[in-house]
């Protein structure tokens, strides 16, 4: 850096010269033609100069820091590959969390890369544009380092081999896919509210960290090293999330109700999506980090509560239906695992009944619900499996039109009754899992009627015909007996036992 | 003699991901291959974009060009994020030591007024053009179909932000009251007659909707004329007026341009090589944007008392090699 000039220019002024001073007022083309997406959501921006840069990073420093992080990360990947690092994992059932991650989360990182590239071009404010561009390349980094982190495991375990293909087709992956595409097809301000604020700022500790901590607790060196390496990127993304929300709210009071509606929508959307993380934490990690209910209490109710308190001065109230998430935290992971267990022939990972010891842990973590509602169910399933009648459900479930999760989640005020809502729009009846999802539909029916619902598509013959084995094998590319079914008796279990003899 | 470390032999059940295997065969893949090919979502999109209901979220129709396989393009530099950032960190390190050298020797203070004036009038306004290049390439990354095409433009776009920032640093470094020359250069960019052609070209490029046309207008034509002009002609002119030391600061632009040109040449070679229809379309765009770029840069060259011909010859040679120059 130039010592002489930095004496005369302070850091803030210097950064201004390196970023927003590069922009100019166009006169040969109209502003709204250069930035055509900025206006259509109704968000009023009176002055982009009010944008506070959430981090001040010039490209030279970005390259320097990131290259150093990449160098260290890839050194670990190489070491794991050289030393059969996959055999250091706690229990082969853990790998199923990795399979879920690469099929459900890695493609979201890719969508984030593309989405931030779009917004990083579309915002009229230079400072906001550059912050989004940096997040865009970070998201590309995460996509690619995750692919490389799991590349080694893919050579030894099932379920990861066709993640992009599966993401576009497999029934449960339409939950994360539709979630992100909902954000990506929205305007730039809603995209940032959805992903930067609701997802990255409010919920990141409930998505990113459970997977990374799960990796740390279960001997997965590649994933946990990726997690540490991505931590400083995530911290930057969180500051962008907070800045965007404050910026929009401070720009104009007319923005407040629009943002409020987005916060209501995206908390509920995010909460439903995180059902799969809850299930991963409570059921798929052999060495547990914490329960889903504990995580929700700590990261949403406590941390999120304080945050929404802070936003009150802008006229923002806590998201609608937040109280239902608090009731649901004691149920959702159990109900989700039961869904996957019964459709375990159509999943790209193994499923199982928790061991007796694991059920005791669940009883302890869920004193009000597990023994009363879920233990009897899993004990019955275990008995049936022991008799050679492992339960698979061949009937296709009704999916929620918005979150696309099967309607197998209970009512907030009656945990013995499945929650089911419906509405008629343009002569067609649509089904929902909850009031939250039905509200989202009502606000933009023209968007949600377009949803690609996996079950409807199968029944319409768009997924390779009427034969479910063909749908699963040919259309999904889930290899029967290799990628799916119960862990007990699986190819995965057999191979692991044989490899353990060798190392 | 070789030293052999024994590790337990565990036979893998596959060599790489399924999509990578289908494209490159059943063998261990490179990191570039695994991170770049066939990873973009391709089907079963849920909702049409609210900002563009005529397209899918990822759509081949954001350009008039047609490719049977959008992954036919492969970056000759094999840049995935890690490889790109490593290469750029090296460039950054070299540039940093050049800047430090320039400063340590107090070379900025030794510049004569003619040199400072030429840089202000001819080089510093380009930091705004580089911002335009940043926006264009990032926009292409958002719209282009397939990861190999998209990511190469994204890296190219971030590179342009870096170039704009380095140009700003040059402006600060040669300035006795830092910020003043950059402000003067910005006024030229906004108001000076000689610069209005370039500014108009850049603003017009910002509203081009077809990403392939935009990449051509920005990366092949405009840069293909501008950079040889800066690196050869302006450099020679600076030598004449005793400003050769500036090359220490602008050297990175030569390295960067050479590296980026490998990508751009491969891109247009692939696009044009696909079909006669693509070649015809590209040739038409070339004819349009080439004459506009010449028109835009000529007053800047005249103002600096430099001929544009040498740079144009470099561009034309490159276009001819790509088979995109109309010869009638």
């Amino acid at each position: 850096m130039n010592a002489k000039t930095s004496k005369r220019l302070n850091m803030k002024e210097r950064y201004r010269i390196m970023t927003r001073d590069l922009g100019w007022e166009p006169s040969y083309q109209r502003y709204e033609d250069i930035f055509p997406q900025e206006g259509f959501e109704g968000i009023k921006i009176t002055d982009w100069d009010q944008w506070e840069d959430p981090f001040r990073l010039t490209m030279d420093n970005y390259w320097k820091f990131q290259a150093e992080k990449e160098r260290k990360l890839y050194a670990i990947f190489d070491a794991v590959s050289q030393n059969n690092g996959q055999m250091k994992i706690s229990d082969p059932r853990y790998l199923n969390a990795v399979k879920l991650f690469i099929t459900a989360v890695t493609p979201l990182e890719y969508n984030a890369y593309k989405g931030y590239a779009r917004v990083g071009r579309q915002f009229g404010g230079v400072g906001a544009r550059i912050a989004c561009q940096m997040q865009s390349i970070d998201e590309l980094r995460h996509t690619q380092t995750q692919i490389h982190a799991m590349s080694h495991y893919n050579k030894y375990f099932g379920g990861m081999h066709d993640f992009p293909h599966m993401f576009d087709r497999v029934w449960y992956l339409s939950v994360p896919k539709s979630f992100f595409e909902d954000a990506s097809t929205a305007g730039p301000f809603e995209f940032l509210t959805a992903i930067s604020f609701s997802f990255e700022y409010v919920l990141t500790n409930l998505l990113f960290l459970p997977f990374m901590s799960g990796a740390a607790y279960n001997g997965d060196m590649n994933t946990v090293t990726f997690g540490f390496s991505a931590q400083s990127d995530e911290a930057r993304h969180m500051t962008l999330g907070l800045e965007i929300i404050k910026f929009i709210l401070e720009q104009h009071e007319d923005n407040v109700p629009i943002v409020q509606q987005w916060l209501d929508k995206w908390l509920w959307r995010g909460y439903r999506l995180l059902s799969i993380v809850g299930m991963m934490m409570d059921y798929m990690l052999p060495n547990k980090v914490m329960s889903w209910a504990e995580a929700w209490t700590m990261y949403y109710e406590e941390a999120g509560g304080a945050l929404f308190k802070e936003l009150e001065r802008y006229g923002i109230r806590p998201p609608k239906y937040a109280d239902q998430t608090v009731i649901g935290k004691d149920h959702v992971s159990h109900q989700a695992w039961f869904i996957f267990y019964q459709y375990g022939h159509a999943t790209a990972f193994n499923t199982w009944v928790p061991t007796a010891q694991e059920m005791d842990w669940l009883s302890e973590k869920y004193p009000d619900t597990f023994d009363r509602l879920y233990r009897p169910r899993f004990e019955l399933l275990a008995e049936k499996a022991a008799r050679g009648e492992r339960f698979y459900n061949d009937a296709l479930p009704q999916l929620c039109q918005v979150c696309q999760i099967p309607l197998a989640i209970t009512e907030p005020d009656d945990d013995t009754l499945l929650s089911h809502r419906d509405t008629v729009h343009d002569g067609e009846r649509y089904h929902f899992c909850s009031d939250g999802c039905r509200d989202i539909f009502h606000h933009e029916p023209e968007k949600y009627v377009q949803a690609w619902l996996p079950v409807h598509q199968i029944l319409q013959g768009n997924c390779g015909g009427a034969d479910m084995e063909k749908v699963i094998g040919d259309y999904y590319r889930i290899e029967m007996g290799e990628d799916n079914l119960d862990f007990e008796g699986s190819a995965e279990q057999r191979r692991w036992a044989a490899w353990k003899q060798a190392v | 003699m070789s030293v052999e470390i024994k590790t337990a032999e565990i036979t893998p059940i596959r060599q790489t991901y399924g999509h990578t295997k289908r494209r490159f065969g059943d063998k261990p893949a490179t990191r570039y291959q695994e991170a770049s090919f066939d990873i973009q979502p391709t089907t079963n999109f849920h909702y049409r974009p609210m900002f563009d209901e005529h397209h899918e979220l990822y759509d081949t129709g954001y350009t008039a060009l047609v490719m049977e396989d959008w992954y036919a393009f492969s970056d000759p530099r094999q840049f995935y994020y890690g490889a790109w950032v490593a290469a750029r960190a090296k460039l950054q390190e070299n540039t940093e030591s050049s800047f430090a050298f320039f400063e340590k020797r107090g070379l900025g203070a030794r510049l004569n007024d003619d040199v400072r004036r030429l840089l202000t009038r001819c080089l510093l306004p380009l930091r705004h053009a580089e911002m335009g290049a940043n926006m264009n390439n990032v926009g292409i990354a958002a719209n282009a179909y397939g990861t190999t095409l998209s990511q190469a433009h994204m890296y190219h776009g971030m590179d342009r932000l870096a170039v704009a920032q380095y140009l700003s640093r040059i402006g600060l470094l040669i300035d006795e009251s830092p910020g003043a020359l950059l402000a003067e250069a910005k006024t030229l960019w906004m108001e000076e007659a000689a610069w209005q052609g370039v500014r108009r070209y850049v603003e017009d490029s910002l509203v081009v909707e077809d990403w392939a046309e935009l990449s051509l207008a920005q990366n092949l034509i405009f840069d293909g004329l501008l950079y040889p002009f800066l690196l050869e002609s302006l450099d020679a002119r600076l030598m004449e007026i005793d400003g050769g030391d500036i090359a220490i600061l602008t050297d990175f632009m030569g390295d960067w341009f050479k590296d980026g040109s490998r990508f751009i040449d491969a891109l247009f070679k692939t696009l044009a090589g696909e079909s006669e229809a693509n070649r015809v379309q590209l040739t038409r765009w070339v004819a349009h944007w080439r004459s506009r770029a010449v028109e835009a840069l000529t007053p800047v060259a005249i103002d600096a008392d430099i001929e544009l011909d040498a740079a144009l010859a470099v561009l034309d040679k490159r276009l001819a090699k790509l088979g995109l120059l109309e010869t009638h």
Side-chain angles (χ1 to χ4, degrees):
Chain A
M1 282 283 154
N2 183 351
K4 206 189 285 172
T5 57
S6 60
K7 261 180 227 155
R8 296 181 217 170
L9 293 179
N10 65 33
M11 285 292 288
K12 195 173 175 181
E13 175 59 10
R14 195 178 163 82
Y15 187 74
R16 191 192 68 81
I17 284 176
M18 298 293 169
T19 51
R20 59 185 74 182
D21 189 45
L22 300 170
W24 70 96
E25 292 271 334
S27 62
Y28 297 104
Q29 293 288 342
R30 294 184 315 159
Y31 182 92
E32 54 271 34
D33 293 331
I34 293 177
F35 305 107
Q37 293 180 25
E38 199 179 290
F40 82 89
E41 298 165 278
I43 291 291
K44 292 179 181 161
I45 301 298
T46 52
D47 184 9
W48 273 112
D49 279 343
Q50 299 298 312
W51 173 268
E52 288 283 338
D53 291 304
F55 41 85
R56 295 195 189 126
L57 199 51
T58 47
M59 280 311 292
D60 50 356
N61 282 322
Y62 179 86
W63 285 337
K64 196 169 141 186
F65 296 145
Q66 297 298 99
E68 184 59 17
K69 280 158 52 178
E70 287 283 281
R71 200 180 56 71
K72 289 180 180 164
L73 178 61
Y74 280 90
I76 297 293
F77 292 170
D78 289 340
V80 166
S81 302
Q82 256 171 22
N83 296 305
N84 284 317
Q86 77 280 9
M87 299 310 296
K88 307 285 193 302
I89 279 165
S90 60
D91 174 321
R93 290 181 304 162
Y94 163 75
L95 266 313
N96 292 293
V98 177
K99 298 171 195 178
L100 190 62
F101 191 83
I102 195 167
T103 52
V105 181
T106 302
L108 301 186
E109 306 271 16
Y110 190 82
N111 281 315
Y113 151 62
K114 293 283 279 188
Y116 281 100
R118 173 171 66 91
V119 180
R121 165 62 184 79
Q122 284 293 334
F123 276 154
V126 182
R129 242 179 12 238
I130 290 175
C132 290
Q133 291 177 6
M134 287 203 175
Q135 177 154 358
S136 174
I137 40 171
D138 286 345
E139 302 289 358
L140 180 58
R141 170 181 194 233
H142 298 175
T143 312
Q144 297 186 323
T145 46
Q146 285 165 18
I147 292 170
H148 291 148
M150 285 151 203
S151 173
H152 179 72
Y153 301 146
N154 170 59
K155 292 177 182 172
Y156 297 92
F157 302 96
M160 306 173 210
H161 50 79
D162 277 285
F163 67 93
H165 178 93
M166 289 180 185
F167 180 73
D168 278 344
R169 294 166 181 83
V170 174
W171 62 279
Y172 54 91
L173 297 176
S174 82
V175 175
K177 182 175 160 83
S178 65
F179 171 90
F180 219 102
E181 289 182 3
D182 192 349
S184 295
T185 54
F189 291 105
E190 184 178 352
F191 177 79
L192 253 72
T193 304
I195 306 303
S196 287
F197 182 75
S198 292
F199 206 54
E200 298 251 16
Y201 193 86
V202 184
L203 298 178
T204 202
N205 281 323
L206 291 151
L207 172 74
F208 191 70
L209 294 191
F211 274 105
M212 300 307 139
S213 310
Y217 274 57
N218 288 280
D220 172 1
M221 188 67 149
N222 274 1
T223 305
V224 73
T225 309
F226 159 76
F228 280 123
S229 188
Q231 229 171 6
S232 53
D233 301 345
E234 296 295 339
R236 250 188 288 124
H237 303 171
M238 288 174 77
T239 60
L240 172 58
L242 194 57
E243 174 55 27
I244 187 69
I245 216 77
K246 289 187 170 170
F247 175 73
I248 304 175
L249 292 171
E250 281 167 7
Q251 282 291 304
H252 203 287
E253 61 186 20
D254 291 355
N255 295 341
V256 176
I258 302 176
V259 170
Q260 181 71 59
Q261 193 272 323
W262 288 340
L263 294 178
D264 292 348
K265 166 179 169 180
W266 287 101
L267 177 78
W268 190 255
R269 246 9 209 107
Y271 167 69
R272 275 289 185 250
L273 173 65
L274 293 178
S275 307
I276 61 168
V277 183
M279 151 189 119
M280 186 278 297
M281 292 174 80
D282 285 346
Y283 285 84
M284 297 174 81
L285 292 181
N287 294 336
K288 318 264 188 228
V289 179
M290 68 197 314
S291 73
W292 170 251
E294 287 167 333
W296 190 258
T297 306
M298 186 181 304
Y299 296 120
Y300 181 72
E301 289 173 66
E302 290 167 11
L307 171 69
F308 283 107
K309 194 103 196 120
E310 202 185 312
L311 293 177
E312 256 175 27
R313 66 191 164 100
Y314 298 105
I316 290 293
R317 53 160 175 72
K320 209 173 167 187
Y321 303 120
D323 53 328
Q324 292 194 14
T325 69
V326 176
I327 297 169
K329 73 183 175 185
D330 287 327
H331 299 279
V332 70
S333 64
H334 318 294
Q335 294 174 357
W337 185 243
F338 181 56
I339 295 171
F340 281 95
Y341 181 88
Q342 60 188 294
Y343 293 108
H345 45 332
T347 53
F349 53 86
N350 298 126
T351 45
W352 57 87
V353 171
T355 63
Q357 201 188 358
E358 287 165 344
M359 283 206 244
D360 289 346
W361 182 85
L362 289 163
S363 302
E364 186 199 318
K365 295 296 179 185
Y366 295 95
D368 297 335
T369 56
F370 188 74
D371 284 351
R372 177 166 61 86
L373 295 162
Y374 304 110
R375 179 187 282 274
R377 191 183 296 175
F378 284 117
E379 284 177 349
L380 178 67
L381 292 169
E383 262 176 53
K384 283 174 72 81
R387 286 202 305 269
E389 298 163 17
R390 202 292 193 184
F391 173 62
Y392 290 107
N393 190 345
D394 286 324
L396 300 182
Q398 173 68 52
L399 304 180
C400 173
Q401 187 73 25
V402 172
C403 72
Q404 312 215 0
I405 293 175
L407 299 185
I409 299 173
T410 49
E411 289 283 359
D413 57 0
D414 183 350
D415 55 26
T416 61
L417 185 67
L418 293 182
S419 171
H420 185 178
R421 305 285 181 275
D422 66 78
T423 197
V424 174
H425 174 80
D426 262 353
E428 290 275 347
R429 188 172 298 278
Y430 295 91
H431 302 269
F432 309 97
C433 68
S434 57
D435 295 328
C437 281
R438 188 176 58 182
D439 280 4
I440 292 169
F441 179 92
H442 276 155
H443 195 76
E444 289 176 280
E446 67 288 351
K447 183 167 202 176
Y448 298 99
V449 296
Q450 303 172 49
W452 189 91
L453 291 175
V455 171
H456 289 49
Q457 296 294 327
I458 292 168
L459 295 174
Q460 287 168 28
N462 297 332
C463 302
D467 178 354
M468 274 313 290
E469 284 218 14
K470 285 214 163 108
V471 171
I472 294 166
D474 299 344
Y475 188 70
Y476 290 172
R477 292 205 170 116
I478 292 174
E479 256 187 87
M480 189 58 79
E482 275 290 326
D483 295 327
N484 59 355
L485 305 182
D486 203 295
F487 180 74
E488 202 51 45
S490 67
E492 215 83 327
Q493 187 187 36
R494 275 199 313 279
R495 273 194 293 265
W496 180 266
W499 290 337
K500 269 291 176 195
Q501 304 266 309
V503 292
Chain B
M1 275 225 346
S2 69
V3 181
E4 207 168 291
I5 300 174
K6 272 282 184 215
T7 55
E9 195 75 33
I10 297 179
T11 312
I13 57 172
R14 62 179 69 77
Q15 301 294 332
T16 183
Y17 294 109
H19 47 284
T20 321
K21 176 177 127 182
R22 287 188 288 281
R23 186 174 284 277
F24 298 105
D26 194 7
K27 56 188 180 201
T30 66
R31 285 198 163 129
Y32 177 66
Q33 289 170 340
E34 283 196 339
S36 309
F37 290 86
D38 304 298
I39 61 168
Q40 179 208 277
T42 58
T43 188
N44 300 335
F45 296 110
H46 290 268
Y47 324 104
R48 291 266 160 170
M50 306 291 279
F51 45 87
D52 182 359
E53 61 182 29
H54 303 296
H55 288 102
E56 296 278 14
L57 182 57
Y58 304 134
D59 199 314
T60 57
Y62 281 112
T63 173
L65 302 185
V66 178
M67 296 289 290
E68 164 119 12
D69 171 16
W70 281 98
Y71 286 97
F73 168 73
S74 176
D75 188 341
R77 305 164 303 175
Q78 308 235 328
F79 276 172
Y80 57 97
Y81 178 90
W84 168 68
V85 94
R88 292 299 175 257
K90 201 159 166 250
L91 179 78
Q92 181 273 138
E93 209 181 313
N94 295 338
T95 308
E96 212 54 53
S97 62
S98 300
F99 273 60
F101 175 82
F102 188 92
E103 233 198 317
K104 197 174 130 204
R105 293 288 181 94
L107 299 179
R110 277 180 31 192
L111 296 175
N112 65 50
D113 283 349
D114 288 347
V115 171
R116 209 169 268 130
R117 184 171 169 278
L118 182 58
L119 291 171
T120 306
R121 292 194 68 84
C122 199
L123 186 70
L124 298 185
L126 288 169
R127 60 201 271 271
H128 306 294
E130 289 296 317
M131 165 101 297
N134 158 267
M135 291 167 69
N136 281 335
N137 279 291
V138 171
I140 295 167
N143 286 339
Y145 195 84
T147 309
T148 57
L149 275 165
S150 172
Q151 70 175 343
H153 282 97
M154 192 67 205
Y155 305 140
H156 211 59
M158 299 316 283
D159 286 350
R160 307 314 287 269
L161 178 60
V163 174
Q165 292 177 341
Y166 278 124
L167 286 175
S168 307
R169 284 178 62 184
I170 293 174
L172 294 177
L173 202 52
I174 63 167
D175 199 342
E176 279 162 351
S177 53
L181 293 181
L182 291 176
E184 194 186 327
K186 189 165 186 175
T187 306
L188 295 171
W189 171 256
M190 293 306 293
E191 294 166 12
E192 176 76 19
W195 276 99
Q196 297 317 296
V198 173
R199 185 157 71 86
R200 180 190 286 269
Y201 187 104
V202 172
E203 290 185 16
D204 288 353
S205 72
L206 288 170
V207 300
V208 171
E209 286 182 4
D210 186 306
W211 67 259
E213 181 183 2
L214 180 54
S215 187
L216 178 144
Q218 173 70 59
N219 299 320
L220 181 62
I221 302 295
F222 186 74
D223 298 343
L225 186 59
L226 174 69
Y227 274 74
F229 170 73
L230 295 178
L231 299 167
E232 304 294 333
S233 313
L234 178 64
D235 194 48
R237 181 89 190 91
L238 283 164
M239 297 277 262
E240 282 168 24
I241 58 172
D242 205 17
D245 287 350
I246 289 300
I248 297 170
L249 301 180
T250 54
D251 192 38
F252 80 93
M253 291 171 79
D255 293 343
W256 175 79
F257 181 67
K258 204 169 137 199
D259 179 87
S261 297
R262 291 176 64 203
F263 145 50
I264 297 302
D265 285 342
L267 170 67
F268 287 100
K269 200 175 158 203
T270 307
L271 295 173
E274 174 79 1
S275 66
E276 186 55 16
N278 279 6
R279 206 191 57 77
V280 167
Q281 179 66 74
L282 286 164
T283 307
R284 241 180 250 147
W285 285 333
V286 164
H288 173 72
W289 289 102
R290 178 183 168 281
S291 66
R292 286 211 49 188
V294 171
E295 198 184 313
L297 276 167
T298 299
V300 175
I302 290 172
D303 188 64
D305 199 15
I306 304 172
E307 294 280 330
L308 196 58
D309 298 4
L312 185 59
V314 173
L315 173 64
D316 283 351
K317 195 174 157 201
R318 192 174 168 197
L319 293 172
K321 208 173 155 197
L322 289 168
L324 295 177
L325 198 61
E326 272 181 344
T327 44
H328 59 267

